[in-house]
Amino acid sequence: MAKSALGRGLSALLPDEDTQETGSAKDKTSGKTGMAEKTGTGSETRSGEILVRLEKLLPNPGQPRRRFEKPELEELAASIKQHGIIQPVIAEKNEQGNYIIVAGERRCRAAAIAGLSEVPVLIRSYSDQKRLEVALIENLHRSDLNPIEEAMAYKQLMDTAGLSQDEAAERVGKNRSTVANALRLLKLPSRIKEALEEGNLSAGHARTILSLPKGADQETLFSEIRDKGMSVRAAEKRAAELSADKHTAGKNNAVKSGKKDPEIKNMEEKFIKTLGTKVTINGGLKRGRIEIEYYSMDDLERLYGILER
């Protein structure tokens, strides 16, 4: 089966941007794209777009983006004031005569801030699945979603279209590991997801928290990251310590004797400090084996980089 055009990004769906930039340059002072011959609700333009009043453009219920940061909107509004709207909004007309935004809600919000009353719109008709794909790709390729918004969008796409992770990744032009790692974030406790969504926690920190299997340990590490301002590397070391503490506590219940040689124990601690993860030396001074634990693909790649030096 041929790969969906959506996997190649919005360029497969929208007009050539060079053409639009040329048109907009002709009418920068008007705040329009420079391609319209008539104005008013639904008036046609030479490029096949129509100009639609902002009040008739309604948000897409399936819009992946839930947060629109004011500084970003104001920056986009300043650009619109100077150059006009280079890329038209994509929308579907509904039965009430209004238009549901499929891609371009940020542009509409910024246009309102810039003082525009209408924006150029391309009218399209999509299935529920394709509408979601277009909205997701528009956000992924033009303005980053926060990690939770991205994860929820992937899940919604998979649920709506009945896609596997591999299929969803192909549809939006991403690696399967990118989609898989994003979806794992939805397993975090609610307050940690909120911090991630609000930008108070990085995705790297979140993946480190996920390396701990128990919710109580995840909450503990999150609190320490927040209160101490830990870097991702420091958080990884702390996660390894928490894992080691649990591992040691479990072993103490089963093993009553056979304490390790102090020199072996000292070497273990040096390994843990250097590698930032749990390291166990099983054996004695003459023979044994070393076990190095990792908690994610990122963690494994980090360890590989250290050992490769």
Side-chain angles (χ1 to χ4, degrees):
M1 185 176 73
K3 182 182 288 189
S4 168
L6 291 169
R8 299 195 298 273
L10 280 177
S11 61
L13 300 171
L14 300 176
D16 179 38
E17 290 196 18
D18 291 339
T19 301
Q20 293 177 60
E21 288 174 357
T22 301
S24 67
K26 296 177 183 177
D27 191 19
K28 288 182 180 180
T29 58
S30 70
K32 305 278 193 312
T33 61
M35 294 179 285
E37 291 183 319
K38 296 183 288 183
T39 59
T41 302
S43 60
E44 294 184 0
T45 70
R46 289 198 297 266
S47 65
E49 305 160 13
I50 64 171
L51 292 171
V52 177
R53 298 193 65 81
L54 285 171
E55 62 264 25
K56 295 185 73 64
L57 286 160
L58 307 178
N60 179 1
Q63 159 71 268
R65 179 175 291 278
R66 298 188 298 176
R67 293 176 180 272
F68 295 86
E69 301 297 336
K70 188 175 180 180
E72 292 180 3
L73 290 176
E74 290 176 343
E75 184 178 345
L76 181 56
S79 175
I80 289 172
K81 283 182 180 180
Q82 183 176 1
H83 302 294
I85 296 181
I86 295 175
Q87 186 73 304
V89 174
I90 302 176
E92 283 189 283
K93 193 169 185 178
N94 65 12
E95 294 178 356
Q96 290 74 41
N98 293 316
Y99 299 84
I100 306 299
I101 300 168
V102 177
E105 185 173 345
R106 286 179 73 251
R107 268 163 282 161
C108 290
R109 289 172 180 256
I113 295 173
L116 272 64
S117 60
E118 55 189 13
V119 295
V121 175
L122 282 171
I123 305 302
R124 295 287 184 266
S125 180
Y126 297 112
S127 65
D128 290 343
Q129 173 187 333
K130 191 154 291 188
R131 187 184 307 113
L132 176 59
E133 289 178 9
V134 174
L136 174 58
I137 292 169
E138 205 260 349
N139 279 284
L140 287 173
H141 288 271
R142 293 177 189 244
S143 181
D144 293 340
L145 299 171
N146 70 56
I148 294 299
E149 287 175 334
E150 183 177 348
M152 292 181 68
Y154 290 139
K155 186 177 186 303
Q156 187 179 356
L157 176 59
M158 291 167 64
D159 291 345
T160 301
L163 302 177
S164 65
Q165 288 185 10
D166 286 340
E167 291 167 335
E170 184 178 1
R171 289 290 180 90
V172 297
K174 295 286 184 178
N175 293 328
R176 189 204 64 81
S177 60
T178 300
V179 175
N181 286 332
L183 291 170
R184 288 180 64 233
L185 299 176
L186 298 178
K187 298 178 181 178
L188 288 165
S190 296
R191 75 178 186 129
I192 300 179
K193 286 193 290 188
E194 288 175 5
L196 188 57
E197 193 169 12
E198 292 168 359
N200 297 323
L201 187 73
S202 74
H205 284 108
R207 286 192 292 271
T208 302
I209 291 171
L210 276 169
S211 71
L212 297 168
K214 294 187 177 180
D217 291 339
Q218 292 177 351
E219 293 278 3
T220 296
L221 181 56
F222 168 67
S223 296
E224 292 184 10
I225 291 171
R226 180 194 58 194
D227 297 341
K228 299 178 182 180
M230 286 183 177
S231 66
V232 173
R233 179 61 63 86
E236 288 171 348
K237 290 184 177 181
R238 181 59 181 139
E241 291 171 359
L242 288 169
S243 295
D245 290 344
K246 297 295 181 182
H247 183 75
T248 301
K251 277 196 168 184
N252 286 341
N253 293 330
V255 181
K256 302 296 182 180
S257 60
K259 290 185 177 180
K260 287 184 179 177
D261 183 284
E263 191 172 344
I264 295 292
K265 185 64 179 174
N266 183 50
M267 292 298 295
E268 254 185 6
E269 291 173 356
K270 288 182 178 179
F271 273 120
I272 291 172
K273 184 177 181 180
T274 300
L275 298 178
T277 191
K278 183 179 181 302
V279 178
T280 305
I281 300 177
N282 294 311
L285 294 175
K286 294 184 177 180
R287 183 176 180 179
R289 69 177 185 274
I290 300 174
E291 296 179 358
I292 302 174
E293 295 193 9
Y294 63 92
Y295 307 99
S296 67
M297 181 56 70
D298 288 341
D299 201 21
L300 179 59
E301 290 176 351
R302 178 184 67 80
L303 290 168
Y304 180 79
I306 293 173
L307 296 173
E308 193 181 28
R309 292 171 189 167

